[in-house]
């Protein structure tokens, strides 16, 4: 058990929170190799009316075992009208303080912070605390997310 804790601590100590290269924003689902970055994945077609960015299609790829912040995580790749708009990476509640510290170390202080999130506009990223996760979003999705964060 101690070995796992030490290995996780070492992995998170070298963590750089920039948007991973696997997040090819603006590109179609077919351009992403989910079998290379996920232990398993499922594709779900959702109602476009549930997402303000979508008019014709809303697809989410649930990527299980995505390597992020020292562990295999669930990453939710969200596609609107055929293009990747944002990715949520779920983390443990105990990861939130060190994850946000990594964001601050790399990016500086958040542009906007509230009890439930810290948003970093230039990097188009955020740490969410009400549901423990990291968010990365595309330039196309920036007005939606940054408008929400700025309220």
């Amino acid at each position: 058990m101690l070995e796992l804790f030490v290995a996780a601590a070492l992995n998170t100590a070298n963590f750089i929170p920039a948007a991973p290269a696997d997040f090819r924003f603006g590109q179609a689902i077919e351009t992403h190799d989910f079998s290379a970055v996920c232990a398993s994945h499922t594709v779900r077609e959702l109602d476009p009316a549930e997402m303000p960015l979508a008019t014709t299609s809303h697809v989410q790829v649930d990527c299980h075992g995505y390597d992020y912040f020292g562990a295999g995580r669930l990453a939710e790749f969200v596609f609107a009208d055929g293009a990747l708009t944002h990715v949520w990476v779920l983390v443990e509640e105990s990861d939130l303080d060190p994850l946000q510290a990594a964001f601050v170390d790399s990016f500086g202080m958040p542009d906007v912070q509230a009890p439930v999130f810290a948003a970093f506009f230039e990097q188009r990223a955020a740490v969410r605390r009400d549901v423990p996760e990291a968010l990365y979003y595309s330039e196309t999705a920036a007005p939606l997310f940054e408008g929400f964060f700025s309220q």
Side-chain angles (χ1 to χ4, degrees), residues 5-28:
F5 177 77
V6 170
L10 290 174
N11 285 339
T12 59
N14 297 322
F15 175 75
I16 298 174
D22 307 320
F23 301 173
R24 291 193 294 283
F25 293 113
Q27 301 214 3

Side-chain angles (χ1 to χ4, degrees), residues 102-146:
F103 273 65
V104 169
D105 286 348
S106 291
F107 306 143
M109 293 305 292
D111 292 287
V112 180
Q113 188 166 352
V116 294
F117 65 82
F120 302 83
F121 292 169
E122 187 174 327
Q123 290 71 35
R124 295 193 300 266
V127 175
R128 183 174 169 188
R129 292 178 168 275
D130 56 339
V131 176
E133 57 194 357
L135 166 67
Y136 296 91
Y137 54 91
S138 66
E139 185 174 347
T140 303
L144 175 73
F145 285 109
E146 293 171 7

Side-chain angles (χ1 to χ4, degrees), residues 46-52 54-55 58:
L46 305 168
D47 183 354
E50 294 178 6
M51 184 169 62
T55 56
H58 176 187

Side-chain angles (χ1 to χ4, degrees), residues 38 41 65 71 82 90 96 110 138 140 147:
C38 311
H41 68 281
L90 283 70
L96 290 173
S138 66
T140 303

Side-chain angles (χ1 to χ4, degrees), residues 20-28 30-33 77 79 83-84:
D22 307 320
F23 301 173
R24 291 193 294 283
F25 293 113
Q27 301 214 3
E30 297 81 18
T31 66
H32 293 78
D33 186 3
F77 289 73
F79 294 81
L84 181 64

Side-chain angles (χ1 to χ4, degrees), residues 20-105:
D22 307 320
F23 301 173
R24 291 193 294 283
F25 293 113
Q27 301 214 3
I29 194 169
E30 297 81 18
T31 66
H32 293 78
D33 186 3
F34 292 106
S35 61
V37 296
C38 311
S40 66
H41 68 281
T42 55
V43 178
R44 297 189 292 145
E45 293 197 28
L46 305 168
D47 183 354
E50 294 178 6
M51 184 169 62
L53 297 169
T55 56
T56 60
S57 70
H58 176 187
V59 175
Q60 179 170 307
V61 176
D62 294 331
C63 172
H64 299 273
Y66 186 79
D67 185 21
Y68 184 85
F69 203 58
R73 313 288 183 162
L74 170 61
E76 300 170 341
F77 289 73
V78 182
F79 294 81
D81 299 337
L84 181 64
T85 59
H86 57 286
V87 179
W88 298 102
V89 184
L90 283 70
V91 297
E92 299 297 323
E93 189 171 338
S94 61
D95 294 324
L96 290 173
D97 287 340
L99 179 63
Q100 186 166 329
F103 273 65
V104 169
D105 286 348

